[in-house]
Amino acid sequence: MAEKEESQEKRAMPQIDENEYILRKRLPRRLPKRKNDIYVNRKTNFNAQLERSQKLFDNGYDVVFIHGLGAAINRSINLALQLKIRGLGSLEISVNTSTVELLDDLEPNNDDLEPDTQLRTNSAVHIKVYKLALA
Amino acid sequence: MESETKSNPGQYISEKAKESEKRGHKRKRAQDSFIKMKPNEQEDDWLSLAPRCINVADFAEARATEINTMMKAMNNISGGRRIFQKLPRHMRRRAMSHNVKRLPRRLRARAEAEVQKHKRANKQDSGAAKRSRRHRRRPKNLFAEYERRKRKHIWLETHIWHAKRFHMSEKWGYKIPHHPNEKSVRASYRALAKHCLIQDISYYGVIEVTGPQGYLLKSLAHLTNTDSGLTFASLSYLGGKRHGTTMLYQYDKYPYSAISVVNFLWKCLSCECDDRVAIKEETNTDAADKFSSTESRQLWMWVHPSSYETVLNEIVKMFHAKPVMEKMKKKRTQIDKGSDGVEDTGDESSLDFTKTDRQFKNSCVHIRTLKFDLLRFRLQGPLSHSVLLDVLQSAEVKCSDIEECEKMKWWESYYEDTQNAAVHDRQKEVWKNLKNIRTSSELSPGCVLSLTVKDPRLLLPQKKTKVMTAVENTTEPLANERIDLCRRFPDGISQSPIWEKKARKKASVEKFSIDELNKKRAEHLIPGTVLQLGREESRIPILLLHNPGKLEDVKEQMSCQEMQNSLGFGGGWDIVIPSGWGMAFWIALIYRGARAGGEREAQSASAQQGLPYFPYDFPDTLAYNETSNLRKNELESKYSRYPPDKRTNYAKFGVVAPFCSPWEQLVVEWNDTSVSISAKEQTSSIDVDASEMVLNELKVDDMAVTDSVPRDAVYVLRSRSRLRHLAKSCHRYKNMGKDCITSSLSSVLKGDSHALVCVSLRMVHRGVPALFGMVCLADSDDLQQLYRDKNYGGPLETLHKDPSLILKKLDKKCKKRKTKLDTEVKAALVAEINASNSLVSSVKNSCNRQIIGYVCKGSHTFSTGTGCALAYCTIPGLIKMLGDKPASCHAVVLVRNIKSLQYRFAYLSVLTKCW
């Protein structure tokens, strides 16, 4: 799954006392994954991701969905555009954005505190890359 | 016989005799007595000293033992062979063992005697075992045999399943599956990372403590310390909503004498309704209140079998509890109760729960061992949630029409209570909602859910299948509920009948037998559909304990990108079930595609997560000492079995401790050097490096603070705040100066110079660290070379000299030249050998780079794609390393394996959460 931009959210979030709580992120929600869904992350080699998506088109898929969350949005847009360039006019893009709710756990550092969670939101992008019908 | 000779061989003989005397041959000395010398012969004639005569009787007598052994050897070529095996090849015939007549006549009698002897021996010692296979495999006999074999080591309920597929090891009084027979290291990793890995960890025994909450908490606080993390008294765990893990120490001995890591769970507060819980929570926020509450609470602690007895003894001692003779008392109460009591003497004896369960009591606290009452399976991996969803289905517990005459089932009596029934409904609802969640890592970490489920044998798929998450099963309206469930796991749903001994036992006893089940199945009209047994169907109370897997502190993650690992890795559920149900659940889980692993897989899973594994990675515990001693003996005996040229010469590699890690000595040496430096400093006012200054300060403080503890007592630093401080200074930092870091470290780590710190290592380039590998300080030259050349592999250790080899070589040389070895040289060499054997020599400076710690567990990890290790380092060593570290770089150390001369670079980071 995608990485999150940390510094920006820090500013928006209420300050947590470091001595009282440890902030631990929970994984974003795991979404259903079809064969032609591609979740972009920042760790995997970009070319590998590109090849993977290209392979889907080569193997008969007409539509590929590229999802990116937070800091991986740039990458997913880049990926889609690269695909489009590679397609030499045969591919088209349509973009949707959404907001994903993420949870952080506040783990207490001492015995007298209750654990807590905080809800924050992050932007996500869902790009549909599809083959144009041959006219 | 007499012989006269003119020459003088006597000189030769006597010289030889002298030589043999030196070697300690007694026979030759005896020989002298019967060799009669002719006195006053010419001295120059050497033949004159030759014996004149030989007395045959004396001569033979002196050699009697040798002759005897020779005769014996002639008669009896070697032990354990049958007579026909001693025949020369050309006299051997086919089927000689079967037919005596094929032997030469002179040997027949002896062969016959041998045959008879074997027959007798077989009959005597293993009569039943040698019966025919068909007899042995009859269920009754087979089970009798199993019972006999169980007596020595406790068997898990899934033992037979495992024994067919796994290498079993005898450890800590149990037979524990070690690893599967199939080639499965990578497959198990894949199961862990992508699907579901399952382990039977029922060998973790439960200790139950019941008593008033305030008293329990106050007492247990002596065994734990809030400094090392959350304890029993934490509000996170006290409500029974979550299960926790903590480290136990001997009574008020923190930080020394660690005993064991325990996983614990409080029994959920018996809530009448939600608002009471809410009130409770409000009041509970007051810390004093939880210690003064007198409500009776029940606590379960899962303890590793290697330290089970130690923990139990410590707790019993703490409460001054007296053992209770349980069996007698219980039987009487059963008779008293009559109809209410369990009337199943036959079944009970076959299940035999209370085999060795013991009880202890004082005025208000009741301690009970539940070693045989509860089973625990661990499911790890993202699909463990889906697997469980498929296996576990909430049972129907509405008792609609009970005929008076019939005996009440356990669930009927338990759920008669409307509150219990309401709780069950809520649990059912939650379980239904959990279907919308794809992995357990979305849930709040450590949450507990209890269920009463249907018999898993009824829901078994026809074939072994691999459960996957369904592609589309989420619907939008449920999104809110899902978020709620993730955010705030509901209260009060961990309440379960499994906490009650009676219900638990009855659930096991009332198990619908597999035989009956099969009969019902055969009568079933439509094969393949789920069998509806109605009231007859068994209901099983279970507990589900959530494991969050790998957790990461956001702060640490930011500053240390290299160490980033996948979040929630290795997370899943632990399932706790009453005994007797092990195989039913096990098969059901396996049929859903869960991959079974043994202890090796558990260890490798913890290695992949970068977490220590009890007891192998806890060097300050008694359990570690025991296991490491066992391991040492094993490795040593294996090492000594190999010929010298087929095994590593550790002396040449400069490895002082190839079979165990000498923690005490390492710590003592690091502390001694700091003293010597300070002494040097006093005499000559040379500028000492900042880090060394810190060391000195540390030492002085240490001496002031800890006078009462033994000097070489080693403990592991588990104070969260201090560890966090250390961890921070391992990362690269920009703003702070070097002095600032080291000085703040010294103030924080006051008095901890005898401690070890758990660190994780990740190789910079190549290399896989292994057990007992040495963690060393890198020279400034090494570091500079690394920064200059990114592909620099690391320095080499110069080959050491092995004094024992040199001695051997010299000896050989002397023998060849027939000269004597210089005694002084020899003495020096022998002294050196002794020194290296007795570990007196320095551990710290035993090789070119200073050793600061040892690797506890190291392997290639698939999750990072590099070699990773878990090691313990001494604090003075760490501080020295951090003092020399450039601010812009992450901490780097050198690691060398015991079978290599190559040092490799590794990133070091301090583990703040040690279990």
Side-chain angles (χ1 to χ4, degrees):
Chain A
M1 273 289 170
E3 303 299 317
K4 294 129 245 170
E5 196 79 40
E6 329 250 341
S7 53
Q8 281 183 359
E9 282 144 26
K10 277 280 153 55
R11 259 172 255 145
M13 281 290 133
Q15 204 62 45
I16 304 150
D17 186 353
E18 216 182 292
N19 294 324
E20 287 189 341
Y21 286 106
I22 305 172
L23 184 70
R24 295 195 194 276
K25 287 181 178 178
R26 234 184 259 176
L27 277 180
R29 190 182 171 204
R30 209 183 165 91
L31 291 162
K33 192 175 178 314
R34 290 158 296 186
K35 281 270 163 60
N36 55 348
D37 275 320
I38 287 183
Y39 287 89
V40 177
N41 67 6
R42 288 197 300 173
K43 264 195 220 161
T44 313
N45 186 337
F46 181 78
N47 284 330
Q49 288 174 339
L50 191 63
E51 282 307 316
R52 186 146 58 100
S53 351
Q54 186 64 51
K55 219 179 216 171
L56 287 177
F57 283 117
D58 296 346
N59 290 347
Y61 280 97
D62 289 339
V63 189
V64 169
F65 298 92
I66 296 170
H67 309 270
L69 177 69
I73 289 179
N74 284 351
R75 258 200 169 198
S76 18
I77 293 172
N78 194 3
L79 187 68
L81 291 174
Q82 290 293 327
L83 277 177
K84 195 182 172 188
I85 294 169
R86 276 191 172 198
L88 301 171
S90 67
L91 295 180
E92 198 44 67
I93 286 174
S94 91
V95 184
N96 270 315
T97 58
S98 70
T99 305
V100 174
E101 282 176 328
L102 297 169
L103 272 176
D104 292 332
D105 280 306
L106 294 174
E107 191 187 293
N109 261 335
N110 67 49
D111 281 353
D112 299 329
L113 290 169
E114 282 270 357
D116 204 358
T117 53
Q118 69 178 22
L119 193 69
R120 64 192 162 86
T121 53
N122 207 346
S123 352
V125 69
H126 312 276
I127 309 172
K128 179 182 167 193
V129 186
Y130 55 97
K131 278 185 187 166
L132 285 175
L134 292 174
Chain B
M1 212 200 297
E2 276 196 15
S3 69
E4 275 190 26
T5 39
K6 273 176 193 170
S7 56
N8 191 1
Q11 221 167 20
Y12 169 65
I13 288 175
S14 63
E15 220 178 70
K16 212 178 169 188
K18 263 184 222 160
E19 224 181 86
S20 63
E21 224 172 77
K22 244 186 263 165
R23 285 191 217 132
H25 285 208
K26 280 181 186 163
R27 175 175 66 79
K28 286 280 164 74
R29 211 183 298 157
Q31 204 177 334
D32 282 345
S33 63
F34 63 81
I35 296 176
K36 284 165 187 156
M37 311 293 273
K38 200 176 177 184
N40 301 329
E41 196 72 10
Q42 302 138 299
E43 236 106 74
D44 53 323
D45 190 5
W46 62 275
L47 271 178
S48 63
L49 286 170
R52 290 290 123 144
C53 54
I54 291 176
N55 189 340
V56 178
D58 286 347
F59 192 84
E61 199 188 312
R63 288 160 179 78
T65 48
E66 279 168 352
I67 293 169
N68 220 353
T69 47
M70 189 180 76
M71 295 300 286
K72 247 186 207 165
M74 271 160 62
N75 282 336
N76 183 359
I77 297 168
S78 81
R81 282 212 268 172
R82 298 280 294 270
I83 189 77
F84 54 85
Q85 289 172 313
K86 291 167 192 166
L87 279 172
R89 280 203 182 270
H90 68 279
M91 290 175 79
R92 294 196 188 171
R93 296 290 178 269
R94 210 162 51 81
M96 267 182 160
S97 66
H98 181 67
N99 189 355
V100 184
K101 288 201 173 141
R102 286 175 182 264
L103 281 159
R105 186 166 283 163
R106 66 187 167 87
L107 296 175
R108 269 179 212 166
R110 273 161 70 190
E112 186 63 38
E114 251 178 13
V115 170
Q116 293 306 326
K117 203 177 122 200
H118 269 263
K119 268 186 189 166
R120 251 176 287 134
N122 273 351
K123 242 181 205 172
Q124 258 170 22
D125 45 59
S126 49
K130 288 295 166 189
R131 298 288 289 269
S132 71
R133 182 184 157 80
R134 206 199 297 165
H135 178 267
R136 276 180 284 140
R137 299 297 292 185
R138 266 177 211 151
K140 195 183 153 198
N141 298 333
L142 195 60
F143 279 103
E145 174 68 7
Y146 287 163
E147 284 303 321
R148 189 186 64 77
R149 273 153 48 185
K150 266 181 218 176
R151 253 174 259 152
K152 200 173 169 201
H153 294 278
I154 301 168
W155 282 10
L156 305 180
E157 271 188 23
T158 54
H159 175 89
I160 292 167
W161 189 93
H162 275 112
K164 286 173 181 168
R165 297 162 178 85
F166 279 65
H167 280 282
M168 307 298 285
S169 57
E170 291 166 1
K171 272 180 190 165
W172 311 302
Y174 282 86
K175 277 273 200 181
I176 295 174
H178 188 257
H179 63 269
N181 288 329
E182 46 194 358
K183 244 187 187 178
S184 65
V185 174
R186 203 172 276 262
S188 300
Y189 168 71
R190 233 175 265 140
L192 178 68
K194 301 258 165 68
H195 201 263
C196 175
L197 182 73
I198 181 176
Q199 292 150 32
D200 186 353
I201 52 165
S202 308
Y203 50 85
Y204 277 79
V206 177
I207 298 174
E208 183 186 85
V209 183
T210 321
Q213 177 183 318
Y215 178 55
L216 280 188
L217 288 184
K218 268 181 219 157
S219 311
L220 287 169
H222 291 288
L223 300 185
T224 55
N225 195 293
T226 46
D227 214 20
S228 66
L230 301 183
T231 64
F232 296 109
S234 166
L235 283 185
S236 324
Y237 307 131
L238 203 54
K241 260 172 78 178
R242 292 183 185 80
H243 68 108
T245 313
T246 191
M247 188 83 197
L248 288 192
Y249 292 86
Q250 278 177 20
Y251 192 84
D252 275 345
K253 286 270 183 70
Y254 177 86
Y256 296 92
S257 319
I259 303 176
S260 170
V261 175
V262 293
N263 184 247
F264 63 89
L265 176 66
W266 286 99
K267 186 184 175 183
C268 184
L269 288 164
S270 52
C271 52
E272 268 78 69
C273 49
D274 291 29
D275 48 55
R276 212 199 116 180
V277 176
I279 292 162
K280 196 98 212 155
E281 254 166 38
E282 274 165 36
T283 50
N284 258 4
T285 43
D286 188 8
D289 188 57
K290 76 182 169 190
F291 285 107
S292 61
S293 159
T294 52
E295 199 172 358
S296 178
R297 297 294 302 270
Q298 202 173 343
L299 172 72
W300 276 357
M301 284 183 258
W302 278 271
V303 188
H304 192 270
S306 63
S307 56
Y308 190 85
E309 286 305 313
T310 335
V311 171
L312 184 67
N313 287 340
E314 199 61 32
I315 290 174
V316 168
K317 214 168 74 189
M318 184 177 68
F319 287 115
H320 304 291
K322 298 263 157 13
V324 180
M325 286 295 142
E326 197 233 351
K327 268 211 156 164
M328 301 289 286
K329 216 173 157 189
K330 232 191 91 221
K331 270 199 181 143
R332 208 170 299 144
T333 50
Q334 255 181 43
I335 296 159
D336 290 345
K337 274 180 188 171
S339 60
D340 200 12
V342 191
E343 303 163 353
D344 38 51
T345 44
D347 280 280
E348 201 181 353
S349 61
S350 69
L351 284 164
D352 208 9
F353 302 102
T354 49
K355 214 168 358 187
T356 57
D357 275 352
R358 287 162 289 166
Q359 290 188 41
F360 304 88
K361 234 176 186 175
N362 78 0
S363 54
C364 52
V365 176
H366 197 137
I367 303 159
R368 196 184 271 157
T369 65
L370 304 179
K371 244 181 170 177
F372 303 97
D373 273 24
L374 294 165
L375 311 176
R376 184 165 171 159
F377 298 155
R378 174 161 291 169
L379 285 89
Q380 288 175 298
L383 288 187
S384 53
H385 188 67
S386 324
V387 167
L388 278 183
L389 278 174
D390 209 45
V391 172
L392 308 178
Q393 288 188 16
S394 299
E396 198 60 56
V397 291
K398 290 241 169 58
C399 23
S400 48
D401 45 331
I402 313 161
E403 288 149 46
E404 286 298 310
C405 57
E406 272 189 284
K407 201 174 75 179
M408 293 262 274
K409 299 265 179 198
W410 74 265
W411 49 274
E412 283 168 343
S413 49
Y414 181 82
Y415 287 112
E416 248 179 355
D417 190 352
T418 48
Q419 273 163 21
N420 290 341
V423 169
H424 178 78
D425 286 341
R426 281 179 59 209
Q427 287 167 350
K428 217 171 168 179
E429 186 69 24
V430 168
W431 190 238
K432 213 176 100 194
N433 285 339
L434 277 177
K435 292 202 170 158
N436 299 318
I437 285 169
R438 292 174 168 273
T439 61
S440 56
S441 55
E442 288 170 41
L443 292 169
S444 104
C447 58
V448 177
L449 169 69
S450 76
L451 292 170
T452 300
V453 295
K454 285 183 183 172
D455 189 343
R457 292 171 297 179
L458 294 177
L459 308 165
L460 215 58
Q462 295 277 310
K463 259 196 211 169
K464 196 172 161 181
T465 48
K466 203 170 176 181
V467 169
M468 305 299 280
T469 42
V471 175
E472 303 280 354
N473 64 0
T474 39
T475 44
E476 274 315 300
L478 282 168
N480 277 334
E481 272 171 46
R482 194 194 66 83
I483 289 275
D484 282 346
L485 203 60
C486 292
R487 261 202 103 154
R488 238 183 103 74
F489 205 67
D491 293 313
I493 54 165
S494 54
Q495 209 181 332
S496 171
I498 200 171
W499 289 92
E500 288 168 25
K501 193 173 175 83
K502 216 170 91 186
R504 201 164 57 216
K505 269 182 77 175
K506 279 182 99 177
S508 307
V509 169
E510 284 168 10
K511 181 179 172 186
F512 203 73
S513 82
I514 191 77
D515 174 44
E516 278 177 74
L517 195 70
N518 285 339
K519 269 179 202 156
K520 283 264 160 80
R521 263 200 200 123
E523 289 161 13
H524 195 40
L525 279 181
I526 316 162
T529 52
V530 177
L531 205 58
Q532 298 296 341
L533 292 177
R535 188 176 165 270
E536 281 299 300
E537 190 191 324
S538 316
R539 273 85 162 159
I540 311 110
I542 60 159
L543 275 181
L544 287 170
L545 312 177
H546 177 249
N547 273 335
K550 189 159 175 76
L551 294 172
E552 257 157 51
D553 195 340
V554 170
K555 284 267 161 58
E556 278 170 45
Q557 203 181 353
M558 269 175 70
S559 47
C560 178
Q561 284 283 331
E562 300 97 339
M563 302 299 284
Q564 224 180 68
N565 213 327
S566 48
L567 209 60
F569 184 86
W573 289 99
D574 277 12
I575 165 171
V576 177
I577 46 183
S579 62
W581 280 99
M583 268 324 280
F585 277 90
W586 185 262
I587 293 293
L589 290 163
I590 293 294
Y591 262 52
R592 265 60 172 211
R595 192 181 186 90
E599 211 206 352
R600 185 187 70 182
E601 276 67 33
Q603 273 181 37
S604 93
S606 78
Q608 305 287 349
Q609 294 177 66
L611 290 174
Y613 182 78
F614 192 83
Y616 299 101
D617 306 331
F618 290 81
D620 55 341
T621 59
L622 198 67
Y624 172 86
N625 280 346
E626 277 165 16
T627 43
S628 83
N629 280 343
L630 276 181
R631 187 168 57 186
K632 188 184 166 194
N633 293 341
E634 225 167 77
L635 289 173
E636 260 172 357
S637 69
K638 193 187 175 193
Y639 182 77
S640 58
R641 275 205 303 274
Y642 283 84
D645 60 338
K646 297 285 187 295
R647 65 191 185 195
T648 322
N649 187 346
Y650 290 118
K652 275 189 146 182
F653 280 69
V655 178
V656 183
F659 307 118
C660 65
S661 311
W663 303 113
E664 280 91 3
Q665 207 186 342
L666 190 70
V667 166
V668 167
E669 275 175 29
W670 269 103
N671 285 298
D672 283 350
T673 46
S674 36
V675 167
S676 67
I677 288 168
S678 73
K680 215 190 281 170
E681 192 190 12
Q682 278 163 7
T683 51
S684 59
S685 56
I686 315 161
D687 275 342
V688 188
D689 198 36
S691 59
E692 281 173 2
M693 290 268 281
V694 171
L695 289 184
N696 299 341
E697 277 170 40
L698 248 178
K699 185 65 209 171
V700 173
D701 287 333
D702 185 39
M703 277 157 116
V705 171
T706 55
D707 259 341
S708 56
V709 292
R711 262 177 64 83
D712 57 343
V714 171
Y715 62 95
V716 172
L717 185 68
R718 295 206 173 83
S719 157
R720 285 277 168 93
S721 55
R722 289 176 205 180
L723 283 175
R724 217 169 293 136
H725 211 90
L726 253 180
K728 242 182 238 167
S729 48
C730 285
H731 304 317
R732 60 171 79 113
Y733 38 85
K734 281 155 199 159
N735 307 330
M736 281 181 283
K738 192 160 126 188
D739 298 335
C740 174
I741 284 293
T742 41
S743 61
S744 67
L745 268 184
S746 77
S747 63
V748 168
L749 297 173
K750 243 181 215 173
D752 274 329
S753 67
H754 271 88
L756 293 168
V757 177
C758 185
V759 299
S760 74
L761 304 172
R762 201 179 63 99
M763 302 313 278
V764 176
H765 301 304
R766 302 180 54 178
V768 175
L771 188 66
F772 307 132
M774 290 154 280
V775 183
C776 304
L777 288 179
D779 276 359
S780 52
D781 289 352
D782 300 334
L783 289 177
Q784 267 166 16
Q785 225 165 333
L786 176 70
Y787 299 140
R788 227 181 294 135
D789 176 12
K790 284 289 158 209
N791 295 322
Y792 177 56
L796 276 174
E797 171 83 9
T798 46
L799 201 62
H800 291 236
K801 276 179 184 159
D802 182 6
S804 62
L805 270 189
I806 296 170
L807 187 65
K808 223 185 232 170
K809 227 178 229 173
L810 283 178
D811 261 342
K812 226 181 219 172
K813 229 183 227 172
C814 291
K815 232 180 225 170
K816 231 181 204 173
R817 290 182 195 161
K818 292 184 180 167
T819 52
K820 268 192 180 171
L821 188 59
D822 190 6
T823 45
E824 275 178 33
V825 174
K826 195 176 175 182
L829 283 169
V830 167
E832 217 174 313
I833 294 168
N834 287 340
S836 63
N837 283 345
S838 62
L839 260 179
V840 173
S841 62
S842 165
V843 168
K844 181 186 144 197
N845 295 317
S846 59
C847 44
N848 294 359
R849 306 289 187 277
Q850 281 188 330
I851 295 177
I852 59 168
Y854 287 99
V855 172
C856 258
K857 167 172 70 185
S859 63
H860 178 81
T861 53
F862 298 112
S863 55
T864 55
T866 55
C868 282
L870 196 105
Y872 280 89
C873 291
T874 59
I875 288 222
L878 266 187
I879 289 180
K880 191 171 180 201
M881 189 267 296
L882 292 173
D884 296 343
K885 175 178 88 82
S888 57
C889 304
H890 195 269
V892 169
V893 287
L894 289 171
V895 183
R896 183 165 73 97
N897 282 344
I898 51 170
K899 292 189 178 171
S900 153
L901 291 172
Q902 177 80 53
Y903 288 96
R904 297 280 185 197
F905 289 108
Y907 295 116
L908 177 142
S909 55
V910 172
L911 277 187
T912 48
K913 200 176 158 104
C914 294
W915 47 79

